[in-house]
Amino acid sequence: MTGEFLPYGRQQIEEADLSAVAAALADPLITQGPRVRELEDAVRERTGAAHAIAYSSGTSALHGAAFACGLGPGSVGLVPTLTFAASANCLRYVGAEPHFVDVDEATFNVSPAAIERTVAERGPVDAVVAVSFAGLPVGVEALREAAPGVPIIEDGCHALGGHRAGRPVGGPGGADMTAFSFHPVKVITSGEGGMLTTEDDELALRARRFREHGMDRNPAHAEGPWAYDIVQEGYNYRLTDFQSALATSQLNRLDEWVERRNEVAVAYRELLDGDPDVELPPAAPEGSLHAYHLFVVRVPAGSRRRVFEGLRAAGIGVQVHYVPLDRFSLFSECPRHPTPEVDRYYESAISLPMFPSMRREDVERVVSELRRLLSEVPTGAR
Ligand SMILES: *Cc1c(COP(=O)(O)O)cnc(C)c1O
């Protein structure tokens, strides 16, 4: 090993976060208190969303979105195979069926053309789960054209802090519902945690009740102040107040961190520019902002494993995001449209370290190790 271990992602916890959590823990209500609403208000302010509903994780937020959108047994949702399992599991949780589709080679986000073809071949679908992969905001308008009238659930777990032509991910003009994750590798963290945003009052109400046992605390015919009704299916998917305090505190630095991530990306791009063995990830279109949860490069398929192992041996915590979903046993029976772009991507992808506290010399170290490993084998042998 040369130098300290560099993970592919790392949270940043500062003094302000510690005091915010300590204050929350000193309060009488450490869950179901005021700090959950404070976080929701802060996310609404940040994204411009009409509603923000805190959840215990990105996964439970996606479950809430699938339920709120009315999906259930017999429903079909289109999902790209290039994502984390939760994007498809949220459909299965409500009894709906994922149907896998390809991504667009220019963005690695779900392909509008593949959606259009799939709908033409198999008939109408009930939802599209669109991932803003690596933090590049998915183009929602093209999805609306490809599948008119179909609810779009954006898996925005990579993309908090990004925007499409000035419209923040999770805000107006985006998907019907957007889910975020506050897992420590994501852009901000609460340990575990998540958030759903929407413009739609009815979706918001269903998602809010779903988080808390399907409870309606304002029944029309209350027997007394204790009364409540249970009006729909629900779970306990609450976020605690001390987690909310951490996320709210982290949110204060969201812009700064996304900017830092973009600076790290620029450094990688400069240093790797023109290298015939390295394909750089797509950048955000002019006027939009990439949140850069991940920085995925592609190397010649024949060298990927050796380069991956070599980088790990050099103390560089690379990853592969993701094993395509159709390769997992659980999803092997799911209907799928051909996914040549995901398959090609998967042969050659490596996620390089990407987090806001990375220094220029960390980026240089990753690039020089990558270059060293790529130069070890003549091109013809790759
Ligand atoms: C992290 C992630 C999730 C799940 O979020 P958790 O908070 O870990 O439950 C879902 N989808 C994608 C694309 C993710 O990266």
Side-chain angles (χ1 to χ4, degrees):
M1 254 180 69
T2 52
E4 67 175 316
F5 180 73
L6 269 182
Y8 86 86
R10 173 188 281 164
Q11 75 275 15
Q12 198 160 320
I13 305 285
E14 295 171 8
E15 207 51 56
D17 300 317
L18 298 179
S19 3
V21 174
L25 284 170
D27 268 3
L29 293 175
I30 60 169
T31 191
Q32 297 181 276
R35 287 185 164 84
V36 183
R37 277 287 182 175
E38 281 167 27
L39 171 62
E40 292 173 343
D41 289 346
V43 169
R44 282 198 299 112
E45 200 169 299
R46 184 63 186 66
T47 58
H51 302 278
I53 304 131
Y55 268 77
S56 56
S57 67
T59 302
S60 58
L62 284 165
H63 186 184
F67 175 84
C69 288
L71 305 180
S75 308
V76 170
L78 302 184
V79 191
T81 52
L82 180 56
T83 184
F84 183 59
S87 315
N89 274 334
C90 68
L91 299 171
R92 296 180 59 107
Y93 295 156
V94 297
E97 185 176 46
H99 184 123
F100 293 128
V101 290
D102 207 359
V103 297
D104 185 320
E105 63 172 333
T107 61
F108 298 115
N109 287 330
V110 66
S111 154
I115 290 176
E116 221 175 292
R117 275 199 304 276
T118 306
V119 171
E121 282 167 25
R122 72 160 305 287
V125 296
D126 305 289
V128 173
V129 181
V131 185
S132 287
F133 184 75
L136 177 62
V138 61
V140 173
E141 278 153 29
L143 298 181
R144 297 234 183 257
E145 280 169 29
V150 174
I152 297 171
I153 298 170
E154 179 175 2
D155 182 337
C157 289
H158 297 178
L160 181 64
H163 65 71
R164 316 174 164 88
R167 292 191 309 261
V169 172
D176 295 276
M177 302 196 93
T178 303
F180 295 111
S181 167
F182 304 143
H183 183 276
V185 297
K186 303 294 164 64
V187 183
I188 68 165
T189 190
S190 59
E192 300 284 355
M195 186 69 65
L196 256 185
T197 63
T198 182
E199 297 310 294
D200 186 293
D201 299 347
E202 189 59 33
L203 292 179
L205 183 63
R206 286 166 61 79
R208 196 168 279 287
R209 288 171 174 162
F210 190 75
R211 179 185 70 187
E212 291 182 76
H213 312 284
M215 278 180 190
D216 177 2
R217 292 193 179 275
N218 302 300
H221 305 290
E223 299 157 35
W226 62 85
Y228 60 86
D229 194 6
I230 293 190
V231 296
Q232 64 169 66
E233 203 177 319
Y235 290 75
N236 176 357
Y237 277 160
R238 290 188 293 255
L239 190 69
T240 65
D241 276 60
F242 50 99
Q243 289 171 308
S244 301
L246 178 52
T248 305
S249 172
Q250 294 251 307
L251 206 54
N252 290 326
R253 274 154 298 149
L254 176 65
D255 287 332
E256 180 193 319
W257 286 344
V258 169
E259 198 181 311
R260 273 298 300 143
R261 287 177 178 273
N262 275 271
E263 285 165 9
V264 171
V266 166
Y268 273 130
R269 288 182 188 284
E270 276 171 19
L271 293 166
L272 289 166
D273 186 42
D275 189 317
D277 287 329
V278 178
E279 247 185 276
L280 292 165
E286 190 64 32
S288 293
L289 186 66
H290 201 307
Y292 280 114
H293 162 56
L294 300 175
F295 194 86
V296 183
V297 294
R298 276 159 307 135
V299 298
S303 330
R304 198 265 301 266
R305 179 166 184 166
R306 191 179 51 76
V307 169
F308 184 97
E309 288 173 345
L311 287 169
R312 281 281 180 93
I316 295 168
V318 286
Q319 276 290 359
V320 172
H321 296 97
Y322 292 94
V323 176
L325 295 186
D326 57 294
R327 306 195 184 204
F328 292 124
S329 312
L330 178 67
F331 299 121
S332 59
E333 305 287 298
C334 290
R336 96 182 243 267
H337 204 263
T339 54
E341 294 306 335
V342 177
D343 296 338
R344 194 154 37 237
Y345 163 96
Y346 177 58
E347 298 301 303
S348 59
I350 298 184
S351 305
L352 301 181
M354 167 56 88
F355 49 92
S357 61
M358 272 184 91
R359 299 156 304 179
R360 173 85 189 184
E361 64 235 56
D362 296 326
V363 179
E364 285 168 358
R365 178 178 148 211
V366 174
V367 167
S368 88
E369 291 293 343
L370 178 62
R371 281 244 161 87
R372 177 182 63 79
L373 289 156
L374 282 168
S375 69
E376 271 173 7
V377 177
T379 308
R382 283 178 202 147

